[in-house]
Amino acid sequence: MRPIIIIIWYCCFGLLWCCKEQIQEAKKSDEGRPNIVLIMADDQGWGDLSFHGNTNLNTPHIDAIAKKGVSFSNFFVQPVCSPTRAELLTGNYFTRLGVHDTSAGGERMDIGVPTIAEILKNHGYKTAAFGKWHNGMQPPYHPNSRGFDEFYGFASGHWGNYFSPLLEHNGELVQGDGFLADDLTDRAISFIQTHKNKPFFVYLPLNTPHSPMQVPDTYWNRFKDKELNMTYQNPEEEDITFTRAALAMVENIDANVGRVSEHLKTLGLEENTIVVYLSDNGPNGWRWNGGLRGKKGATDEGGVKTPFFIQWKDHIKPGIQVDRISGSIDITPTLLGLLDITDTEFKADGINLAPWIFEPNSAYKDRIIYNHWAGRTSLRTQQYRLDDENRLYDMVNDPGQKLDIAEKFPKIRDSLVLQKRKWLSKYPPLTKETDDRPFTLGHPNFKFTQLPARDAMATGDIERSNRFPNNTFFTNWTQTKDSIYWDVETLKKGSYQVTLYYTIPEGNSGAEIMLQQGKNTMRTTISAVHDPPLRGMENDRVERMESYVKDFKPWNMGVMELDTGRMPFVLKLDRIKSTGPDVRLLQFERIE
């Protein structure tokens, strides 16, 4: 089909922009619109790519996306995982979406804001997410209830085993198949194959190089004894073994990106597929990152600057570089702009970057991008960064944030301090103390609900397996007076099959356990001993800080009648010998 000129009027800061003649007339219809594959790494730094000059590793397939399309040299996300994901999916700052933590419910993204998956689904797209969700586990926060037809992966903030772990598929617990990043990519490729004849949106948020640092031998062997020529500017702070593991994991990501790209070519879909690549925050360790200050968790440049590449063959000119500041809040508006989709319910803090994708030298009015985490706020203009202590840096001439110029330019500093205060006043973030949302169970449209140990509290001597709640379990249940409880709102009255995932050591069979919701109770006796060893250390390249895991056994507790409303779910022991079960999660399946 021959291209014609389409004009997209774009309003930003009172100015109107024209996009170039790159979107075909056929794209106006839902059937003719291009596919989208959005790939995101977890804890990969800006410097973890050969495209950005790191000679320690080789990432030809990721680099190719930039070389065949457009790369953004000043792209900013948030300092940690769940805030960036919420912004990416909605085009809005995470502080107005209910996100304020990375675990125990604080990662949940408010349901009143449409996601890009919901918008695309309304326009005929088949949608899928494969990987780490990290924006809520129970419907209506679950990916299947946020616009994704298919979800395979885990909804928690991190996982404890990357080799054939326990995962979920559309809410149902399943066993993974092989190394997790490879498995997720396999699923994405299969989905593309199945839906090749209609528009699809594949969101592939891979789980690496987030710790625990597990990677197949094929990749580890390239790095375990490798001398690294490019290191962190303060070498005494770098853990070289950790860096080697992270770079090995990135090369595995690169191989999987190559598999996706090759599959699109094989199916003849490359020209009709927009491919996006980025990371969710700065590097998870001190390693080479272009001399930038800060890592994951920091609001400095090194904690929030990541790669951002977009390829759309025959539509975006190869080798384009955009130096205009942009960020995760711009991804959804930009993709909708490239697709020529207008949704009246969609409101965004971000902007459509399409004008600069097609014409990098288009006129531009400066803007501010805000970064916030753990009470620290910084902001970025095209030239300056005001950090969380209100120090001012010229990022064009001092990208490493070494010289505070606030006293030299007090008017600039004061004006940016004022903008920071206005932003914090406009979008006051939730906290653990102000977030009163219960966990939800029994959404009318979904069959399964998980209540993991991560989202529970315990009394007495019961202990969590690790101080980081994600992927933990409860242990040391030695007293019948102690209990585990979840703050839950049940959304639909009915009968629910309840499955407990547990372990219990030899000599302790016959433990009697009770689950209570208000006046509703159920009891069962655990007769099967199951005491597997802790796992994870055998595959760790570096000693982890997260919880080790076990192979938990499902125990059918029976069917429980539940009432609607907000009532705690309490797990109690009626009788034990020396110790009760270790508890990983409860799975509820509504019986129609």
Side-chain angles (χ1 to χ4, degrees), residues 280-332:
D280 63 348
N281 46 247
N284 54 348
W286 296 118
R287 54 185 181 264
W288 185 84
N289 198 28
L292 302 179
R293 189 174 86 183
K295 61 176 181 176
K296 175 184 179 178
T299 57
D300 291 311
E301 196 89 347
V304 297
K305 183 175 181 176
T306 77
F308 184 58
F309 308 147
I310 304 178
Q311 173 191 323
W312 187 10
K313 188 176 180 181
D314 295 341
H315 296 82
I316 297 173
K317 291 180 181 178
I320 294 290
Q321 180 173 310
V322 176
D323 68 352
R324 308 302 185 190
I325 62 169
S326 49
S328 44
I329 56 171
D330 300 329
I331 294 175
T332 287

Side-chain angles (χ1 to χ4, degrees), residues 172-444:
E172 187 170 8
L173 294 170
V174 298
Q175 203 69 37
D177 183 14
F179 186 62
L180 185 49
D182 300 342
D183 187 16
L184 299 172
T185 304
D186 288 343
R187 293 280 182 149
I189 288 172
S190 177
F191 185 88
I192 291 170
Q193 175 69 41
T194 300
H195 300 286
K196 60 186 177 182
N197 295 323
K198 283 194 172 184
F200 57 77
F201 170 47
V202 170
Y203 177 39
L204 184 56
L206 297 171
N207 59 297
T208 50
H210 195 297
S211 55
M213 308 307 285
Q214 298 184 343
V215 63
D217 289 342
T218 302
Y219 300 93
W220 174 243
N221 290 340
R222 301 176 189 173
F223 286 91
K224 65 179 182 178
D225 299 316
K226 185 174 183 177
E227 182 178 350
L228 302 182
N229 296 318
M230 305 184 74
T231 56
Y232 180 58
Q233 55 263 34
N234 300 321
E236 68 279 2
E237 297 185 46
E238 182 169 3
D239 181 337
I240 291 296
T241 305
F242 189 99
T243 296
R244 287 173 175 145
L247 298 181
M249 295 163 95
V250 173
E251 286 206 353
N252 170 262
I253 293 173
D254 186 76
N256 282 308
V257 169
R259 291 204 294 138
V260 172
S261 298
E262 186 59 34
H263 193 67
L264 292 172
K265 291 178 185 176
T266 300
L267 294 177
L269 296 176
E270 189 179 23
E271 292 80 3
N272 199 39
T273 302
I274 299 170
V275 180
V276 181
Y277 186 87
L278 75 156
S279 181
D280 63 348
N281 46 247
N284 54 348
W286 296 118
R287 54 185 181 264
W288 185 84
N289 198 28
L292 302 179
R293 189 174 86 183
K295 61 176 181 176
K296 175 184 179 178
T299 57
D300 291 311
E301 196 89 347
V304 297
K305 183 175 181 176
T306 77
F308 184 58
F309 308 147
I310 304 178
Q311 173 191 323
W312 187 10
K313 188 176 180 181
D314 295 341
H315 296 82
I316 297 173
K317 291 180 181 178
I320 294 290
Q321 180 173 310
V322 176
D323 68 352
R324 308 302 185 190
I325 62 169
S326 49
S328 44
I329 56 171
D330 300 329
I331 294 175
T332 287
T334 299
L335 291 175
L336 296 180
L338 291 172
L339 300 179
D340 194 25
I341 288 178
T342 301
D343 189 290
T344 56
E345 295 184 6
F346 177 67
K347 303 291 187 297
D349 294 319
I351 64 174
N352 176 9
L353 303 172
W356 299 284
I357 290 175
F358 296 124
E359 288 291 349
N361 297 319
S362 297
Y364 179 84
K365 185 174 181 180
D366 202 4
R367 62 188 293 211
I368 296 175
I369 291 179
Y370 297 88
N371 298 111
H372 176 86
W373 189 243
R376 302 184 302 272
T377 306
S378 71
L379 58 83
R380 182 66 148 83
T381 69
Q382 189 65 41
Q383 183 165 359
Y384 300 105
R385 180 170 290 280
L386 183 78
D387 77 359
D388 64 290
E389 297 183 14
N390 293 335
R391 294 172 295 199
L392 184 68
Y393 299 94
D394 182 343
M395 301 307 297
V396 175
N397 299 302
D398 179 24
Q401 294 177 252
K402 296 179 180 179
L403 180 63
D404 177 10
I405 58 172
E407 291 187 6
K408 186 176 181 180
F409 299 101
K411 290 184 179 180
I412 295 174
R413 178 201 58 199
D414 292 347
S415 67
L416 294 179
V417 169
L418 179 61
Q419 292 303 315
K420 181 195 290 191
R421 290 173 181 165
K422 287 181 178 179
W423 185 81
L424 287 170
S425 175
K426 185 177 181 181
Y427 304 130
L430 274 177
T431 64
K432 291 181 180 179
E433 292 71 30
T434 59
D435 188 356
D436 190 45
R437 296 173 296 176
F439 295 99
T440 51
L441 189 153
H443 190 286

